[in-house]
Amino acid sequence: MKRHTIILIGTATAAVGAIGLAGAVAAGTGDDAERPITGAALTQASDAALEHLGEGTVTETEEGDEDSYYEVEVTLESGRQVDVQLDENFDVVGSSPDDESEADDG
């Protein structure tokens, strides 16, 4: 193979790889990417959700949820899961049974 052909194939391969990597990064950082709550905000959000429900264990959190600023998933003693929606001040703005836990019941 000519040297020019080998360089051209190598360049094309690198370009395709870069495009694939850029697509993967864009998909991972899109609006659908779930970011867990961290640091002091995690403590405040967990405390607010548990106080609102009066029982349970925090099993998952999400910052920038589609329904609110923070979402805290709490598993109740009965095993059911409830999503508690919080605003940026950690005030409860809503709560609902987690869709997945309802699907498990039926």
Side-chain angles (χ1 to χ4, degrees), residues 15 23 75-76 90-91 99:
T75 300
L76 304 175
F90 304 98
D91 294 322
D99 293 339

Side-chain angles (χ1 to χ4, degrees), residues 6-97:
I6 292 171
I7 291 171
L8 184 60
I9 291 171
T11 303
T13 302
V16 169
I19 291 169
L21 179 60
V25 169
T29 59
D31 291 338
D32 292 337
E34 295 181 6
R35 295 182 321 268
I37 305 170
T38 60
L42 174 60
T43 301
Q44 289 182 274
S46 297
D47 289 348
L50 293 173
E51 182 179 330
H52 174 72
L53 295 173
E55 67 166 297
T57 303
V58 173
T59 51
E60 191 174 326
T61 65
E62 185 178 344
E63 183 176 351
D65 179 65
E66 65 273 1
D67 295 324
S68 61
Y69 198 84
Y70 297 111
E71 179 181 276
V72 179
E73 179 184 271
V74 177
T75 300
L76 304 175
E77 293 171 10
S78 67
R80 294 191 57 114
Q81 295 176 329
V82 177
D83 291 336
V84 179
Q85 309 297 328
L86 306 168
D87 66 14
E88 62 274 4
N89 297 313
F90 304 98
D91 294 322
V92 175
V93 295
S95 64
S96 61

